[in-house]
Amino acid sequence: MKLYNTLSHKVEAFNPFNPDQVKIYTCGPTVYSQPHIGNFAAYVYWDLLVRTLLANNYGVRRVLNLTDVGHLTSDRDDGEDKLEKGARQLGETVWVVAERYIGEFRRDYERLDLVQPDVWARATDYIAEDEAIVDRLSDKGYTYETSDGVYFDTSKFAKYADFARLDLSSIKAGARVEFSQEKKHPSDFAVWKFIQPNEQHAMRWEYLGRSGYPGWHLECSTIIHNELGETIDIHTGGIDHIPVHHTNEIAQSEAAFDKKLSKYWLHCNFLTIDKQKISKSLGNIWTLEDLEQKGYSPLDFKMWVLQGHYRSERDFNFENLDSARIRRLNWRNRIAECYQNPTGESKLTELTEILSAVSDDLNSPRAFALIDEVQNESIEFWRIIDSYFGLGLINSAPNITDEIKALLSQREDARVAKNFQLADDIREELQKHNITTKDTISGQVWQYIK
């Protein structure tokens, strides 16, 4: 198995510390609003990563965090906490908002048939552990205190710029010191924020004699250390995390524990919609519920995501989603035919090639092309394919009720008796159940319509 490692900027052979327990951390959502398809594209890619590891007989322990405090609107150290802003806009408490959107995220996660993480780690469950890491960093001389928080001094961590290959000299002070004029260096970042006298912040904890809350970057270091240990195998996230969030994670974790944070770093590229950035101001945010109202399954969207490579920028539009839906429908109907004419072969050679393709830096587009070319396949072939990609293929195919079976039998009798009007009438009735028929030399075959 091979993966592109952001740390080295090249594709590397995958060699975990322990093949029986590959440790993975996935940067999860900030739960201040309803998750949209741009959010879920990343989790579809990381689901493919987990499924590919399992297919290659690795054991996996995976943690996914839920950010319910500390993520400011700028992604850095200035602006309002996203949860606080979302709660104010909705007229709800931050705790209610967090619960609502955690529930919606997990619901959609299941609808996409994504492999569940071993740990759902909510940031507010690790406050005492956050404070312990800040204490540790301070004891080692990596922090300093200002009127608005405790900051990590990046000048004390010699490798700070290495991961993202940053040119620190080009960062203008004003761009990153807007909220705190007391920062020593533009790249310094808050590990703990103090709540100001005029600041409304419902989520607060007493630390260092003042009310405050953890910095956004700190939660990931804390959760990794407490749930997975000091060095993990794989850390995943989006490319937007590289220059700030993941750079800061590495600095504070490795400064605190004197160990490499992760052996491999995987980052997926952006999703745009009609070649535009996804944003509320453009009105181009689509949720899975929106897609369902237009007649698409969440798994049609998953199919579309996997038709592209995780490191490629993807542009979503409904024409492309239609193509993915048709491809998935075609695969489901191939399975339906396998159930009706179970004479196919196991196709172990083809399965080996498909797994080899997806094991080459998660190349699902190549794997899908190989699947399209397979002929005379078996139910077992499709069962394995469904375990690789989680597209709800096998579960749908045998779902034929006794009523539909009776209608199919009646139509076949009518066709043989050349009662074509009755055969057409029954076909129309079948279409109400999302079933149509195809007449072949060997007899009638049923297929799904959508």
Side-chain angles (χ1 to χ4, degrees):
M1 188 169 173
K2 294 182 289 186
L3 298 169
Y4 181 87
N5 191 353
T6 304
L7 198 62
S8 64
H9 290 260
K10 64 182 181 181
V11 175
E12 299 179 10
F14 179 62
N15 293 304
F17 294 109
N18 179 1
D20 294 328
Q21 191 182 72
V22 176
K23 296 180 179 181
I24 305 175
Y25 182 81
T26 294
C27 274
T30 301
V31 289
Y32 70 101
S33 64
Q34 187 173 9
H36 55 72
I37 61 173
N39 304 134
F40 275 109
Y43 303 111
V44 170
Y45 290 132
W46 308 140
D47 181 72
L48 177 63
L49 168 66
V50 172
R51 289 177 181 274
T52 303
L53 288 166
L54 295 173
N56 281 285
N57 298 315
Y58 291 106
V60 174
R61 177 171 170 78
R62 182 181 179 218
V63 175
L64 190 152
N65 74 311
L66 300 163
T67 299
D68 57 356
V69 69
H71 190 173
L72 305 185
T73 51
S74 70
D75 288 355
R76 299 177 187 267
D77 295 321
D78 60 302
E80 187 177 8
D81 183 290
K82 290 187 175 184
L83 260 292
E84 299 284 345
K85 181 178 180 180
R88 190 181 69 255
Q89 291 174 340
L90 293 170
E92 301 277 7
T93 70
V94 287
W95 302 102
V96 168
V97 169
E99 289 293 340
R100 176 188 302 172
Y101 292 125
I102 286 173
E104 291 192 8
F105 178 80
R106 294 190 62 169
R107 177 203 63 191
D108 287 351
Y109 196 94
E110 291 179 2
R111 290 159 77 193
L112 286 165
D113 194 17
L114 304 178
V115 177
Q116 295 286 322
D118 297 279
V119 179
W120 291 94
R122 187 165 170 168
T124 50
D125 288 337
Y126 296 84
I127 300 300
E129 293 84 352
D130 287 335
E131 294 171 355
I133 290 183
V134 177
D135 287 343
R136 187 182 183 96
L137 288 170
S138 298
D139 289 344
K140 296 179 74 173
Y142 282 103
T143 68
Y144 59 91
E145 189 173 319
T146 71
S147 61
D148 80 305
V150 179
Y151 283 80
F152 185 94
D153 187 339
T154 56
S155 70
K156 301 287 184 67
F157 187 73
K159 300 184 296 180
Y160 180 78
D162 293 356
F163 181 66
R165 301 186 178 184
L166 298 174
D167 179 5
L168 297 181
S169 64
S170 69
I171 299 176
K172 297 188 181 299
R176 298 190 65 175
V177 191
E178 180 181 343
F179 196 70
S180 174
Q181 297 295 334
E182 304 166 62
K183 285 168 66 170
K184 294 181 179 179
H185 313 98
S187 55
D188 293 352
F189 59 92
V191 290
W192 189 269
K193 294 288 289 183
F194 294 133
I195 296 172
Q196 304 304 301
N198 60 346
E199 185 181 357
Q200 298 299 315
H201 206 288
M203 288 185 171
R204 57 177 64 209
W205 294 266
E206 292 301 312
Y207 177 56
L208 299 177
R210 297 179 60 180
S211 294
Y213 54 91
W216 173 40
H217 320 297
L218 183 61
E219 69 180 85
C220 294
S221 295
T222 299
I223 292 168
I224 288 171
H225 179 70
N226 284 275
E227 298 292 349
L228 295 172
E230 291 170 354
T231 303
I232 63 174
D233 294 289
I234 303 173
H235 195 308
T236 66
I239 60 171
D240 53 321
H241 288 149
I242 296 172
V244 179
H245 185 46
H246 288 169
T247 289
N248 292 348
E249 266 190 67
I250 290 170
Q252 65 198 8
S253 294
E254 298 187 4
F257 301 109
D258 299 312
K259 298 283 183 65
K260 179 185 288 189
L261 176 56
S262 182
K263 190 173 184 181
Y264 301 89
W265 289 81
L266 272 64
H267 292 92
C268 60
N269 213 321
F270 290 116
L271 174 66
T272 58
I273 294 181
D274 291 324
K275 302 188 185 304
Q276 292 182 306
K277 181 181 177 180
I278 300 174
S279 71
K280 288 183 179 180
S281 61
L282 293 174
N284 64 352
I285 290 179
W286 296 98
T287 66
L288 292 184
E289 186 177 356
D290 292 331
L291 299 188
E292 283 190 306
Q293 290 176 355
K294 288 181 171 290
Y296 300 95
S297 163
L299 297 175
D300 294 332
F301 170 70
K302 188 177 187 180
M303 184 84 168
W304 175 79
V305 173
L306 294 176
Q307 286 183 165
H309 193 269
Y310 77 97
R311 289 196 287 118
S312 299
E313 185 173 307
R314 305 293 307 289
D315 185 60
F316 174 88
N317 59 56
F318 284 98
E319 182 179 350
N320 292 337
L321 184 58
D322 282 333
S323 296
R325 175 170 59 179
I326 291 168
R327 189 183 212 173
R328 181 169 170 266
L329 176 62
N330 175 261
W331 288 10
R332 291 171 62 218
N333 282 329
R334 286 165 64 182
I335 296 169
E337 191 161 350
C338 286
Y339 276 102
Q340 296 167 81
N341 299 302
T343 58
E345 304 171 10
S346 294
K347 298 293 181 182
L348 295 180
T349 301
E350 285 88 341
L351 284 169
T352 300
E353 292 177 355
I354 291 163
L355 180 57
S356 177
V358 79
S359 298
D360 184 7
D361 195 29
L362 309 182
N363 194 343
S364 50
R366 173 59 182 156
F368 281 15
L370 291 170
I371 294 169
D372 286 337
E373 295 170 2
V374 174
Q375 297 180 354
N376 195 33
E377 63 271 30
S378 67
I379 293 298
E380 183 59 23
F381 168 83
W382 284 109
R383 196 178 306 281
I384 295 171
I385 290 299
D386 217 17
S387 72
Y388 289 172
F389 303 105
L391 290 165
L393 303 170
I394 287 294
N395 291 339
S396 62
N399 187 24
I400 301 299
T401 65
D402 290 340
E403 178 187 1
I404 293 174
K405 289 177 182 176
L407 288 170
L408 289 167
S409 179
Q410 292 168 22
R411 186 186 179 279
E412 177 65 3
D413 291 343
R415 189 183 72 87
V416 171
K418 299 188 184 303
N419 189 344
F420 299 119
Q421 182 59 54
L422 178 58
D424 288 344
D425 290 345
I426 295 173
R427 176 183 284 170
E428 289 183 10
E429 182 63 27
L430 285 165
Q431 288 173 352
K432 297 176 183 178
H433 299 274
N434 190 35
I435 295 291
T436 190
T437 58
K438 180 175 70 173
D439 296 324
T440 69
I441 296 175
S442 57
Q444 172 183 262
V445 174
W446 63 263
Q447 295 182 323
Y448 289 104
I449 298 172
K450 61 181 181 178

